[in-house]
Amino acid sequence: MRIGIGLPNTVLDVPGRLVLDWARRAEKRGFSSLATIDRIAYPSYDSLTVLTAAAAATDRIGLLTNILLGPAYNPVQLAKVTASLDQLSGGRLTLGLGVGSRADDYQVAGRSFEDRGRRFDADLELLHQAWRGEPVAGSPFPVGPPATRGRIPLLIGGQPDLAAPRAARWAAGFTIGGAPPEMAGGAIEGFRKAYAEAGGTGQPRSVALSYFSLGEEHTAESLHNLRTYYG
Protein backbone atom coordinates (compact mmCIF):
# COMPACT_ATOMS: atom_id res chain seq x y z
CA MET A 1 0.00 0.00 0.00
CA ARG A 2 1.21 3.49 -0.88
CA ILE A 3 -0.02 6.52 1.06
CA GLY A 4 -0.17 9.91 -0.63
CA ILE A 5 -1.30 13.24 0.77
CA GLY A 6 -3.54 15.91 -0.70
CA LEU A 7 -2.26 19.39 -1.39
CA PRO A 8 -4.55 22.04 0.14
CA ASN A 9 -5.45 23.52 -3.25
CA THR A 10 -9.15 23.75 -2.38
CA VAL A 11 -8.80 24.86 1.24
CA LEU A 12 -10.05 28.41 1.61
CA ASP A 13 -7.60 31.25 2.33
CA VAL A 14 -4.44 29.17 1.92
CA PRO A 15 -1.44 31.28 0.79
CA GLY A 16 0.47 29.99 -2.22
CA ARG A 17 3.76 29.63 -0.37
CA LEU A 18 2.13 27.23 2.08
CA VAL A 19 1.24 24.91 -0.81
CA LEU A 20 4.90 24.73 -1.84
CA ASP A 21 6.11 24.25 1.74
CA TRP A 22 3.53 21.47 2.09
CA ALA A 23 4.90 19.75 -1.04
CA ARG A 24 8.49 19.87 0.21
CA ARG A 25 7.55 18.56 3.64
CA ALA A 26 5.43 15.74 2.17
CA GLU A 27 8.37 14.53 0.10
CA LYS A 28 10.68 14.74 3.10
CA ARG A 29 8.24 12.73 5.23
CA GLY A 30 8.04 9.91 2.67
CA PHE A 31 4.55 10.24 1.20
CA SER A 32 4.19 8.52 -2.17
CA SER A 33 2.42 11.33 -3.99
CA LEU A 34 0.89 14.78 -3.84
CA ALA A 35 -2.73 14.96 -4.97
CA THR A 36 -5.23 17.66 -5.93
CA ILE A 37 -8.99 17.73 -6.27
CA ASP A 38 -10.65 19.86 -8.91
CA ARG A 39 -13.38 22.42 -9.33
CA ILE A 40 -13.60 25.39 -11.67
CA ALA A 41 -16.51 27.38 -10.22
CA TYR A 42 -14.75 27.74 -6.88
CA PRO A 43 -11.86 29.87 -5.49
CA SER A 44 -9.42 26.97 -5.51
CA TYR A 45 -5.92 26.78 -6.94
CA ASP A 46 -5.80 25.26 -10.42
CA SER A 47 -4.74 21.62 -10.13
CA LEU A 48 -2.22 21.49 -12.96
CA THR A 49 -0.66 24.81 -12.00
CA VAL A 50 -0.27 23.63 -8.40
CA LEU A 51 1.29 20.33 -9.47
CA THR A 52 3.69 22.10 -11.82
CA ALA A 53 4.83 24.30 -8.95
CA ALA A 54 5.09 21.25 -6.69
CA ALA A 55 7.18 19.46 -9.32
CA ALA A 56 9.65 22.35 -9.32
CA ALA A 57 9.81 22.34 -5.51
CA THR A 58 10.43 18.57 -5.19
CA ASP A 59 12.53 15.82 -6.78
CA ARG A 60 10.93 12.41 -6.29
CA ILE A 61 7.35 12.48 -5.02
CA GLY A 62 4.54 11.49 -7.39
CA LEU A 63 1.99 13.99 -8.70
CA LEU A 64 -1.69 13.06 -9.00
CA THR A 65 -4.95 14.75 -9.98
CA ASN A 66 -7.67 13.00 -8.01
CA ILE A 67 -9.61 13.94 -9.99
CA LEU A 68 -9.49 16.48 -12.82
CA LEU A 69 -12.80 17.24 -14.55
CA GLY A 70 -11.59 16.10 -17.97
CA PRO A 71 -14.46 17.19 -20.25
CA ALA A 72 -14.56 20.65 -18.65
CA TYR A 73 -11.25 21.40 -20.39
CA ASN A 74 -10.37 21.88 -24.05
CA PRO A 75 -8.76 18.51 -24.87
CA VAL A 76 -5.96 19.95 -27.04
CA GLN A 77 -4.92 22.38 -24.32
CA LEU A 78 -5.23 19.62 -21.72
CA ALA A 79 -2.97 17.38 -23.80
CA LYS A 80 -0.39 20.14 -24.12
CA VAL A 81 -0.38 21.11 -20.43
CA THR A 82 -0.30 17.55 -19.08
CA ALA A 83 2.48 16.46 -21.46
CA SER A 84 4.46 19.56 -20.46
CA LEU A 85 4.01 18.78 -16.76
CA ASP A 86 4.94 15.14 -17.33
CA GLN A 87 8.19 16.17 -19.03
CA LEU A 88 9.04 18.91 -16.53
CA SER A 89 8.53 16.54 -13.60
CA GLY A 90 10.54 13.68 -15.13
CA GLY A 91 7.51 11.44 -15.60
CA ARG A 92 6.02 11.79 -12.11
CA LEU A 93 2.47 12.66 -13.21
CA THR A 94 -0.53 10.35 -12.89
CA LEU A 95 -3.73 11.81 -14.28
CA GLY A 96 -6.93 11.01 -12.44
CA LEU A 97 -9.87 11.98 -14.66
CA GLY A 98 -13.65 11.97 -14.35
CA VAL A 99 -16.71 13.81 -15.63
CA GLY A 100 -17.99 15.27 -12.35
CA SER A 101 -21.60 16.03 -11.43
CA ARG A 102 -21.76 19.83 -11.06
CA ALA A 103 -23.21 21.74 -13.99
CA ASP A 104 -21.77 25.05 -12.77
CA ASP A 105 -18.18 23.93 -13.43
CA TYR A 106 -19.08 23.32 -17.06
CA GLN A 107 -21.15 26.47 -17.39
CA VAL A 108 -18.34 28.79 -16.32
CA ALA A 109 -15.86 26.91 -18.52
CA GLY A 110 -18.12 27.30 -21.55
CA ARG A 111 -18.35 23.54 -22.04
CA SER A 112 -21.53 21.50 -22.47
CA PHE A 113 -22.65 19.41 -19.50
CA GLU A 114 -25.19 16.91 -20.87
CA ASP A 115 -22.84 15.21 -23.35
CA ARG A 116 -19.75 15.22 -21.12
CA GLY A 117 -19.52 11.41 -21.03
CA ARG A 118 -19.47 11.06 -24.81
CA ARG A 119 -16.98 13.89 -25.12
CA PHE A 120 -14.82 12.29 -22.44
CA ASP A 121 -14.37 9.16 -24.55
CA ALA A 122 -13.39 11.23 -27.60
CA ASP A 123 -11.04 13.34 -25.45
CA LEU A 124 -9.26 10.24 -24.18
CA GLU A 125 -8.55 9.21 -27.77
CA LEU A 126 -7.11 12.64 -28.56
CA LEU A 127 -5.03 12.77 -25.37
CA HIS A 128 -3.33 9.47 -26.10
CA GLN A 129 -2.57 10.48 -29.69
CA ALA A 130 -1.04 13.75 -28.50
CA TRP A 131 0.98 12.05 -25.74
CA ARG A 132 2.48 9.75 -28.38
CA GLY A 133 3.70 12.84 -30.21
CA GLU A 134 1.16 12.62 -33.04
CA PRO A 135 -0.53 15.69 -34.56
CA VAL A 136 -4.17 16.10 -33.48
CA ALA A 137 -7.19 18.26 -34.31
CA GLY A 138 -5.84 19.26 -37.72
CA SER A 139 -2.55 20.66 -36.43
CA PRO A 140 0.38 20.11 -38.84
CA PHE A 141 2.66 19.58 -35.83
CA PRO A 142 2.29 17.79 -32.48
CA VAL A 143 0.60 20.12 -29.99
CA GLY A 144 3.09 19.47 -27.21
CA PRO A 145 6.09 17.40 -26.19
CA PRO A 146 5.58 13.63 -26.15
CA ALA A 147 4.94 12.11 -22.74
CA THR A 148 8.00 10.55 -21.14
CA ARG A 149 6.59 7.03 -21.43
CA GLY A 150 4.57 7.60 -24.59
CA ARG A 151 1.51 8.11 -22.43
CA ILE A 152 0.53 9.38 -19.00
CA PRO A 153 -0.77 6.80 -16.49
CA LEU A 154 -4.49 7.22 -15.85
CA LEU A 155 -6.97 6.67 -13.06
CA ILE A 156 -10.64 6.85 -13.99
CA GLY A 157 -13.15 8.14 -11.46
CA GLY A 158 -16.91 7.70 -11.35
CA GLN A 159 -19.39 4.88 -10.99
CA PRO A 160 -17.60 1.52 -11.23
CA ASP A 161 -19.73 0.22 -14.12
CA LEU A 162 -19.01 3.37 -16.16
CA ALA A 163 -15.35 3.74 -15.18
CA ALA A 164 -14.43 0.10 -15.86
CA PRO A 165 -14.84 0.03 -19.68
CA ARG A 166 -12.77 3.21 -20.00
CA ALA A 167 -10.13 1.81 -17.67
CA ALA A 168 -10.02 -1.45 -19.63
CA ARG A 169 -9.68 0.44 -22.93
CA TRP A 170 -6.74 2.52 -21.69
CA ALA A 171 -5.10 0.13 -19.18
CA ALA A 172 -6.02 2.58 -16.44
CA GLY A 173 -6.79 2.26 -12.76
CA PHE A 174 -9.76 3.34 -10.66
CA THR A 175 -10.18 6.06 -8.06
CA ILE A 176 -12.99 6.67 -5.61
CA GLY A 177 -13.18 9.90 -3.66
CA GLY A 178 -14.40 10.76 -0.18
CA ALA A 179 -15.65 7.30 0.77
CA PRO A 180 -15.36 5.39 4.06
CA PRO A 181 -13.58 2.00 3.89
CA GLU A 182 -16.74 -0.11 3.52
CA MET A 183 -18.02 1.98 0.61
CA ALA A 184 -14.61 2.18 -1.05
CA GLY A 185 -14.10 -1.57 -0.72
CA GLY A 186 -17.42 -2.34 -2.33
CA ALA A 187 -16.82 0.10 -5.18
CA ILE A 188 -13.36 -1.32 -5.87
CA GLU A 189 -14.71 -4.87 -5.86
CA GLY A 190 -17.45 -3.82 -8.30
CA PHE A 191 -14.94 -2.07 -10.50
CA ARG A 192 -12.61 -5.08 -10.69
CA LYS A 193 -15.47 -7.33 -11.73
CA ALA A 194 -16.68 -4.88 -14.40
CA TYR A 195 -13.08 -4.32 -15.53
CA ALA A 196 -12.57 -8.03 -16.16
CA GLU A 197 -15.92 -8.29 -17.96
CA ALA A 198 -14.89 -5.35 -20.18
CA GLY A 199 -11.75 -7.22 -21.25
CA GLY A 200 -9.29 -5.58 -18.88
CA THR A 201 -6.17 -7.56 -18.06
CA GLY A 202 -3.92 -7.63 -15.04
CA GLN A 203 -4.61 -6.09 -11.65
CA PRO A 204 -5.73 -2.47 -12.08
CA ARG A 205 -4.47 0.10 -9.60
CA SER A 206 -7.11 1.25 -7.11
CA VAL A 207 -6.97 4.53 -5.21
CA ALA A 208 -9.24 5.77 -2.42
CA LEU A 209 -9.45 9.30 -1.03
CA SER A 210 -10.29 10.03 2.61
CA TYR A 211 -10.50 13.28 4.58
CA PHE A 212 -8.91 13.87 7.97
CA SER A 213 -9.08 16.77 10.41
CA LEU A 214 -6.34 16.72 13.04
CA GLY A 215 -7.04 18.45 16.35
CA GLU A 216 -10.40 19.45 17.80
CA GLU A 217 -9.43 23.11 17.52
CA HIS A 218 -9.66 22.73 13.72
CA THR A 219 -13.02 20.92 13.56
CA ALA A 220 -15.15 23.97 12.81
CA GLU A 221 -12.79 25.20 10.09
CA SER A 222 -12.56 21.74 8.53
CA LEU A 223 -16.33 21.34 8.41
CA HIS A 224 -16.68 24.81 6.92
CA ASN A 225 -14.23 23.95 4.15
CA LEU A 226 -15.89 20.63 3.34
CA ARG A 227 -19.45 21.95 3.43
CA THR A 228 -18.53 24.96 1.29
CA TYR A 229 -16.72 22.86 -1.30
CA TYR A 230 -19.32 20.11 -1.52
CA GLY A 231 -22.36 22.29 -0.90
Side-chain angles (χ1 to χ4, degrees):
M1 179 182 291
R2 289 175 288 176
I3 300 175
I5 190 168
L7 285 165
N9 71 302
T10 59
V11 176
L12 298 171
D13 302 320
V14 166
R17 297 303 304 180
L18 176 60
V19 178
L20 297 182
D21 291 343
W22 187 293
R24 294 186 190 98
R25 184 174 295 185
E27 180 170 78
K28 192 180 212 180
R29 296 293 174 87
F31 286 97
S32 68
S33 58
L34 295 162
T36 60
I37 53 179
D38 192 44
R39 283 197 66 180
I40 299 174
Y42 195 77
S44 52
Y45 287 86
D46 173 71
S47 286
L48 295 173
T49 302
V50 162
L51 290 178
T52 301
T58 59
D59 296 311
R60 302 174 305 280
I61 195 167
L63 309 167
L64 169 64
T65 59
N66 194 25
I67 59 171
L68 194 78
L69 300 173
Y73 295 83
N74 176 291
V76 174
Q77 292 174 324
L78 184 60
K80 188 180 189 79
V81 173
T82 52
S84 299
L85 172 52
D86 178 70
Q87 281 282 355
L88 290 168
S89 67
R92 289 188 277 153
L93 177 63
T94 297
L95 200 59
L97 293 173
V99 301
S101 59
R102 301 182 183 91
D104 57 350
D105 289 319
Y106 286 82
Q107 181 179 358
V108 300
R111 308 285 291 173
S112 58
F113 180 72
E114 289 75 15
D115 64 345
R116 65 196 188 283
R118 290 190 296 275
R119 288 193 295 105
F120 188 32
D121 289 320
D123 291 351
L124 287 169
E125 294 278 356
L126 185 148
L127 288 170
H128 282 82
Q129 291 174 8
W131 292 335
R132 291 193 297 266
E134 301 172 7
V136 295
S139 171
F141 299 103
V143 297
T148 56
R149 292 152 287 184
R151 58 166 295 176
I152 294 174
L154 292 181
L155 298 172
I156 305 296
Q159 299 177 24
D161 58 332
L162 297 177
R166 291 178 176 128
R169 167 72 178 86
W170 299 111
F174 176 59
T175 179
I176 178 169
E182 321 78 60
M183 185 183 297
I188 290 169
E189 183 179 349
F191 168 80
R192 287 175 176 167
K193 180 180 178 181
Y195 179 87
E197 292 173 351
T201 59
Q203 184 76 356
R205 179 183 177 188
S206 296
V207 172
L209 181 158
S210 294
Y211 292 99
F212 296 88
S213 176
L214 302 180
E216 291 185 4
E217 68 274 20
H218 300 300
T219 299
E221 181 182 1
S222 297
L223 288 172
H224 173 68
N225 275 297
L226 278 173
R227 288 168 176 166
T228 304
Y229 185 82
Y230 285 107

